[in-house]
């Protein structure tokens, strides 16, 4: 579970590439485009420009290179002929493999101008991610992080999805430990420098219950309420954390990107 300095360098590279895909795709997320077109653009960019591998493609039978989760889709939406329309919200989840190591990150995009309720949901989901990230340091326990994330969601009258969670990441897409977005303070794994894992809270406007569609991938809210998710890949450093998938426009308070483990 603890990465060596050489492994961390590769994780940094993979994380940066995944972040760059999200920035690259942003101007394409407009009314009229299909999620399949977004997938094609990301696929070509990852393969031809980054000389990397889109991890979702053929992962446990997943048929596309990215996940596109629109409106009440919670996660693992499969790119299709679905046309995005003004007012939709979409999570685009990018995982790339470079030099055998994974970087995994996702964010919400607004298609045109969002509704007030969609914007509030998306912003609160991002705050939940940031609250979790800011707690990362040696000695923090995973239960503390999960508790803080769910408290913030629930204080804002949203529910936290419990059926999917963050995960350790490295040579494998999904490694130990599981990173739950709810929990009990003072319980769970104690973080140590050199661990790498994702935090990726999913918040629903309605109830937390989800349903898996017939395609065996698409996860939707049971009550059809809107859902939002943001994800970063995090490294535990000796002093705190480093966000390996940070985009240039993001700032994290307690980060220690200049200090390695
Ligand atoms: N990127 C997702 C995650 O955050 C996993 C997607 S699995 C796939 O863990 F097969 F749908 F790509
Ligand atoms: Co993930
Ligand atoms: Co992901």
């Amino acid at each position: 579970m603890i990465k060596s300095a050489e492994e961390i360098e590769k994780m940094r590279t993979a994380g940066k590439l995944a972040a760059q895909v999200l920035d690259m795709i942003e101007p394409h997320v407009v009314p009229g485009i299909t999620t399949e077109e977004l997938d094609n653009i990301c696929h070509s960019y990852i393969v031809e420009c980054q000389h990397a591998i889109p991890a979702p493609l053929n992962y446990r039978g997943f048929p596309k290179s990215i996940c596109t989760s629109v409106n009440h889709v919670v996660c693992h939406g499969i790119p299709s002929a679905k046309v995005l329309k003004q007012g939709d919200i979409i999570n685009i989840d990018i995982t790339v493999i470079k030099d055998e190591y994974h970087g995994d990150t996702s964010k919400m995009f607004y298609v045109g101008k969002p509704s007030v309720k969609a914007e509030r949901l998306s912003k609160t989901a991002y705050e939940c991610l940031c609250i979790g990230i800011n707690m990362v340091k040696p000695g923090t326990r995973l239960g503390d992080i999960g508790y803080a994330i769910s408290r913030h969601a629930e204080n804002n009258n949203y529910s936290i999805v419990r059926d999917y969670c963050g995960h350790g990441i490295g040579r494998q897409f999904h490694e130990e430990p599981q990173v739950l977005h709810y929990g009990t303070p003072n319980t769970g794994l104690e973080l140590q420098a050199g661990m790498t894992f994702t935090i990726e809270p999913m918040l629903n406007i309605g109830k937390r219950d989800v349903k898996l569609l017939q395609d065996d991938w698409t996860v939707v809210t049971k009550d059809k309420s809107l859902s939002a998710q943001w994800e970063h890949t995090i490294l535990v450093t000796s002093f705190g954390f480093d966000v390996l998938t940070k985009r240039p426009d993001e700032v994290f308070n307690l980060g220690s990107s200049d200090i390695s483990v």
Side-chain angles (χ1 to χ4, degrees), residues 93 95 104-105 165-167 169 173-174 198 200 231:
D93 193 338
T95 312
D104 187 7
T105 183
C165 58
H167 49 92
I169 182 167
F173 197 158
H174 298 105
T198 73
E200 47 183 302
E231 173 177 26

